[in-house]
Amino acid sequence: MEVNKICQFCGSRFVAQRTTTMCCSDNCAKKLYKKRKRDEKVQQVNKSVEIQEKGFDIEQIQRKEYLSIKEVMLLLDISRTSIYRMLKDGRLTKLEGFKAVRIRKADLDVLFVGKEENNETKHYILPYFNDDNYYTINDVLEEFNVSSGAFYHLCKKHNIPKIPKGKNVFVPKDLVNSIFNNE
Ligand SMILES: [Zn+2]
């Protein structure tokens, strides 16, 4: 088999025998390998600098099963007060048997999913968190020309999960769209 490929090191065109071949020559392959190793090292150093600057490693927190208050704050980008409010009103539960407050990471994933309505538990999975999937409350007020009071009642009526993050509160676009299409 012959495949046209571009050398990943020098960028020249070459014909390879296998689809997995990445370089035009052994020489380029060696240099590419060295470059990759070097890049990996640089990345590692950059990452450890970032961790030192921030004082935490978000990836490490994401891998944990149980989280401290501080870790939940960092992960959800919400205040300590918000977390205690959620613990108080039952949206979050602290685990028994720990000296300090520990929260199950899995609980965070379902935290904002709608609760029971008409004796029927809704199984709505929150969409992945990004701008394409969520409106801020202000977006909704502008986009649908509704007052904040009216939207508040709509959220209650339709069980729209509200997600506080940083300074904003977010709502899932698909749910909000479907409400305004039906009302
Ligand atoms: Zn090459």
Side-chain angles (χ1 to χ4, degrees):
M1 183 168 68
E2 294 198 336
V3 245
N4 287 316
K5 304 225 24 166
I6 302 280
C7 176
Q8 296 299 299
F9 187 76
C10 70
S12 62
R13 208 179 249 280
F14 70 103
V15 177
Q17 309 299 319
R18 282 179 300 172
T19 52
T20 49
T21 310
M22 287 193 295
C23 293
C24 67
S25 64
D26 281 352
N27 193 25
C28 276
K30 267 180 208 157
K31 284 179 180 161
L32 180 68
Y33 176 80
K34 274 193 186 157
K35 186 181 176 293
R36 291 235 161 119
K37 284 278 152 199
R38 210 163 45 231
D39 290 350
E40 266 171 35
K41 250 193 194 142
V42 170
Q43 247 174 18
Q44 268 173 21
V45 171
N46 283 344
K47 190 161 178 275
S48 79
V49 167
E50 192 190 308
I51 291 166
Q52 272 174 28
E53 271 176 4
K54 284 189 186 164
F56 65 90
D57 179 359
I58 200 85
E59 285 173 26
Q60 202 201 326
I61 296 175
Q62 277 165 345
R63 283 196 297 269
K64 286 190 174 179
E65 198 176 343
Y66 306 117
L67 304 167
S68 68
I69 295 278
K70 180 87 203 253
E71 287 164 342
V72 176
M73 285 168 66
L74 296 171
L75 208 57
L76 297 184
D77 193 18
I78 57 177
S79 70
R80 185 177 290 271
T81 319
S82 303
I83 298 171
Y84 278 109
R85 195 166 50 228
M86 289 183 207
L87 284 168
K88 208 173 164 194
D89 68 16
R91 278 180 290 171
L92 278 176
T93 334
K94 56 180 172 182
L95 288 162
E96 300 294 329
F98 289 91
K99 273 186 198 157
V101 176
R102 285 289 175 277
I103 294 162
R104 222 154 54 99
K105 167 130 188 315
D107 289 352
L108 299 183
D109 302 333
V110 291
L111 180 57
F112 301 100
V113 175
K115 292 203 184 104
E116 271 181 40
E117 192 184 37
N118 308 328
N119 297 325
E120 213 186 286
T121 310
K122 274 195 188 172
H123 292 286
Y124 175 72
I125 309 291
L126 283 175
Y128 185 75
F129 203 88
N130 64 27
D131 286 347
D132 286 332
N133 292 333
Y134 290 85
Y135 292 119
T136 65
I137 300 280
N138 283 338
D139 288 338
V140 175
L141 306 187
E142 256 180 55
E143 176 106 16
F144 298 99
N145 198 18
V146 63
S147 74
S148 64
F151 184 58
Y152 174 79
H153 286 292
L154 281 173
C155 283
K156 260 202 143 155
K157 185 175 158 198
H158 296 275
N159 239 339
I160 303 289
K162 285 189 246 144
I163 301 142
K165 246 180 192 286
K167 283 182 209 140
N168 286 313
V169 176
F170 295 85
V171 285
K173 272 190 185 175
D174 53 354
L175 289 182
V176 173
N177 288 340
S178 77
I179 288 179
F180 284 104
N181 289 335
N182 292 328
E183 287 278 325

